[in-house]
Amino acid sequence: MTLNELRYVVAVAHERSFGRAAVRCFVSQPALSVAIQKLEEELGATLFERGKSEVTITPVGARVVEQAQRVLEAAGRLNEIVNPA
């Protein structure tokens, strides 16, 4: 599990679209999709239900997204400690 994978999960949750999340993360849609699938396999859980026009978050996915946001915020604080403004 990487910080980038967590960023992708949060982006998909916010955008409700793999394509828009990929644009937001400056990666290709296939790369983002593969990273999310890899994380789902690693966790042994489906985070998103993929529909034709919209992506929905599963109940476990919602919990993962919440925790991912906390991890990313904490990682940002580490950068602030090392590189104060």
Side-chain angles (χ1 to χ4, degrees), residues 32-46:
L32 183 132
S33 292
V34 167
I36 298 278
Q37 287 175 338
K38 178 180 170 246
L39 181 60
E40 288 177 324
E41 289 173 10
E42 182 179 336
L43 295 173
T46 301

Side-chain angles (χ1 to χ4, degrees), residues 74-84:
R77 285 193 296 277
L78 286 174
N79 281 330
E80 292 169 8
I81 291 168
V82 175
N83 300 309

